[in-house]
Amino acid sequence: MSSVYIHIPFCTNICSYCDFCKMYYNEEIVDSYLEALEKEIKSCYKNELIKTIYIGGGTPSSLTIKQLNKLFNITKIFKLDNDIEFTIECNPENTTDDKLQLFKENGINRLSIGIQTFNNNYLKLLNRSHTKEQAVELINNAKKLNINNISIDLMYGLPNQTIEEIADDINEILKLNIAHISTYSLILEEHTKLYIDNIKNIDDDLEYDMYKLIIKELQANNYIHYEISNFSKAGYESKHNLNYWNNNNYYGFGLGSHGYIDNIRYENTRSINKYLNGEYLYQKEQLSIKTTMQNEMILGLRKISGVNKQAFINKYNKPIEEAFAINTLLSTNQLIDNSNNIYIPEDKLYVSNDILINFID
Ligand SMILES: C[S@@+](CC[C@H](N)C(=O)[O-])C[C@H]1O[C@@H](n2cnc3c(N)ncnc32)[C@H](O)[C@@H]1O
Ligand code: SF4
């Protein structure tokens, strides 16, 4: 069984921090893009059962109803598991009630909403084109339609942001009883407006305090911290993202998408002209067993539960301890072995990169 990621690289507005694969929405280009996407999927998909679909962006909700209808018709190509998790990313400024209704009619059962913050001043700084009020309205409208599996993206470590302001965002999340939260500390990416404007990062210690506060408050309110940056109510973990962290197969369709099928990691072109001409692929690499095992650890240790020891043996015919020299990591408590799983202890998650680097040559 595989997962499917579909990239919709169009936005009606460009945020001041964003370095993702995206461009301004243009009706004709979107129409051509959907034609190309359908061809790409038909040429690559091998008819496996699909357990999760994630339509991400960019801003999928920037498409018109007609274009969304076309997109959902394309997804009918896939053979779906009965228990499919079907997510679409949507932004508050353009997710109308009609679109929510259409999502429901087409089997969407999870929304990932780009909230970022509930503070209107920071929303302006981030050049988001929505307000806190629109964000709250979208969440409430979705719930009215019984779409309760809602995830939001929350950014922290914003320029001049205080710990109290993060506490306010968390309070808003708790009031709205959101099922899933993905957190992101601001990265000042080159070529973005914030970078060009020479905006400075906040202090590292303050950012760490914000991370700790988010964990503490969410855990105190029955959220499960299940991945370094992800939290959910019980049963609302993202099946799609867990598939990545479990190092399982997934297709990546659309501009700039990444996929991993039959031990081949591939990356699509970021050139819209090439993509529309049917030159989808940018590069691909057949992974060795060693690289696959390294990925199993690097991705799996992002989960709070870590890597299951028996599952590793089932996949690679050898125990983790034989595949990697982890004795020092264990004796210094950078990794914990609870006899079922090997995992990074919670107090070291923030510096997990220093630990994960040990699994790279
Ligand atoms: C690829 S974006 C797409 C989501 C959607 N288009 C939106 O803007 O809400 C996924 C998430 O990554 C996060 N993100 C993007 N750029 C970032 C940056 N430079 N630093 C931190 N988080 C970032 C944001 O929280 C964003 O919602
Ligand atoms: S953060 Fe989302 S909406 Fe903003 S430019 Fe990036 S992809 Fe588009």
Side-chain angles (χ1 to χ4, degrees):
M1 251 201 301
S2 296
S3 287
V4 167
Y5 175 80
I6 298 176
H7 193 64
I8 303 295
F10 304 103
C11 299
T12 41
N13 166 71
I14 301 295
C15 305
S16 58
Y17 55 88
C18 180
D19 190 31
F20 275 79
C21 176
K22 41 80 180 72
M23 66 194 74
Y24 276 111
Y25 175 89
N26 170 297
E27 191 167 355
E28 278 171 31
I29 296 181
V30 175
D31 286 342
S32 311
Y33 183 77
L34 293 173
E35 296 294 331
L37 181 69
E38 181 168 16
K39 285 188 195 142
E40 187 201 358
I41 293 174
K42 284 186 170 159
S43 69
C44 302
Y45 171 55
K46 295 197 218 85
N47 218 32
E48 305 93 325
L49 199 58
I50 299 299
K51 62 180 175 186
T52 71
I53 305 181
Y54 191 106
I55 301 177
T59 311
S61 57
S62 66
L63 271 50
T64 62
I65 292 271
K66 189 164 166 233
Q67 289 167 336
L68 287 166
N69 263 314
K70 167 84 184 167
L71 176 61
F72 289 127
N73 271 332
I74 296 172
T75 62
K76 302 216 160 57
I77 296 170
F78 300 115
K79 201 164 88 187
L80 303 185
D81 184 48
N82 288 336
D83 195 22
I84 180 95
E85 178 190 271
F86 193 174
T87 308
I88 191 163
E89 275 180 5
C90 49
N91 287 17
E93 67 274 16
N94 48 29
T95 311
T96 56
D97 275 354
D98 291 3
K99 290 183 190 175
L100 284 177
Q101 190 66 47
L102 187 74
F103 295 166
K104 254 212 106 142
E105 284 162 15
N106 284 280
I108 292 285
N109 51 25
R110 185 170 183 272
L111 296 184
S112 172
I113 307 181
I115 299 285
Q116 320 309 348
T117 165
F118 289 99
N119 180 315
N120 279 333
N121 292 330
Y122 288 115
L123 285 170
K124 268 199 202 121
L125 178 84
L126 297 176
N127 201 34
R128 297 290 300 188
S129 54
H130 73 267
T131 59
K132 169 193 172 175
E133 292 69 26
Q134 283 172 300
V136 172
E137 193 183 345
L138 173 55
I139 292 164
N140 289 333
N141 287 347
K143 286 188 179 169
K144 273 186 215 148
L145 286 177
N146 256 334
I147 309 178
N148 292 309
N149 193 350
I150 295 176
S151 176
I152 66 161
D153 290 345
L154 173 76
M155 289 174 81
Y156 65 98
L158 305 177
N160 297 320
Q161 195 174 32
T162 63
I163 197 106
E164 290 77 20
E165 286 166 337
I166 282 295
D168 290 343
D169 273 343
I170 298 170
N171 279 337
E172 205 59 52
I173 289 171
L174 298 178
K175 265 200 273 173
L176 290 163
N177 197 21
I178 312 261
H180 186 281
I181 300 126
S182 296
T183 66
Y184 299 84
S185 64
L186 175 68
I187 299 170
L188 293 165
E189 304 274 10
E190 258 184 88
H191 313 301
T192 60
K193 183 166 186 312
L194 288 184
Y195 186 91
I196 292 162
D197 289 350
N198 212 13
I199 297 291
K200 294 280 170 262
N201 263 322
I202 63 159
D203 179 71
D204 279 351
D205 290 342
L206 176 58
E207 193 177 283
Y208 183 40
D209 285 345
M210 289 177 174
Y211 179 68
K212 284 190 291 191
L213 180 78
I214 293 170
I215 296 175
K216 185 169 142 252
E217 288 298 313
L218 291 181
Q219 283 182 336
N221 286 281
N222 294 326
Y223 283 88
I224 300 163
H225 183 197
Y226 74 101
E227 191 267 351
I228 295 176
S229 309
N230 282 274
F231 303 81
S232 79
K233 296 270 169 131
Y236 287 94
E237 296 85 354
S238 162
K239 291 185 193 168
H240 185 81
N241 285 344
L242 281 169
N243 186 63
Y244 294 146
W245 300 318
N246 287 328
N247 200 24
N248 291 331
N249 282 350
Y250 61 95
Y251 284 103
F253 295 116
L255 198 71
S257 287
H258 295 241
Y260 176 51
I261 297 286
D262 297 339
N263 273 332
I264 295 175
R265 284 212 180 262
Y266 65 90
E267 184 183 345
N268 274 357
T269 179
R270 280 180 158 230
S271 154
I272 186 75
N273 289 332
K274 284 190 178 165
Y275 190 83
L276 296 182
N277 278 330
E279 294 170 57
Y280 312 118
L281 192 66
Y282 169 60
Q283 58 182 11
K284 65 176 178 179
E285 184 192 1
Q286 171 91 46
L287 302 190
S288 65
I289 293 286
K290 187 172 176 209
T291 309
T292 310
M293 288 193 299
Q294 288 174 332
N295 288 342
E296 188 85 18
M297 298 306 293
I298 292 165
L299 294 166
L301 288 171
R302 293 192 61 90
K303 292 175 293 168
I304 307 304
S305 60
V307 180
N308 182 271
K309 295 171 74 176
Q310 188 57 47
F312 190 96
I313 295 174
N314 296 346
K315 258 182 166 172
Y316 304 107
N317 287 320
K318 62 169 91 167
I320 295 175
E321 302 87 324
E322 204 179 292
F324 299 100
I326 56 169
N327 280 343
T328 312
L329 290 173
L330 289 168
S331 63
T332 51
N333 287 333
Q334 296 183 78
L335 287 182
I336 307 288
D337 181 348
N338 72 2
S339 78
N340 288 325
N341 286 15
I342 289 184
Y343 63 94
I344 298 177
E346 196 150 17
D347 64 329
K348 301 214 167 52
L349 285 173
Y350 197 66
V351 290
S352 59
N353 282 347
D354 298 347
I355 299 170
L356 297 178
I357 208 148
N358 290 284
F359 294 93
I360 303 171
D361 291 328

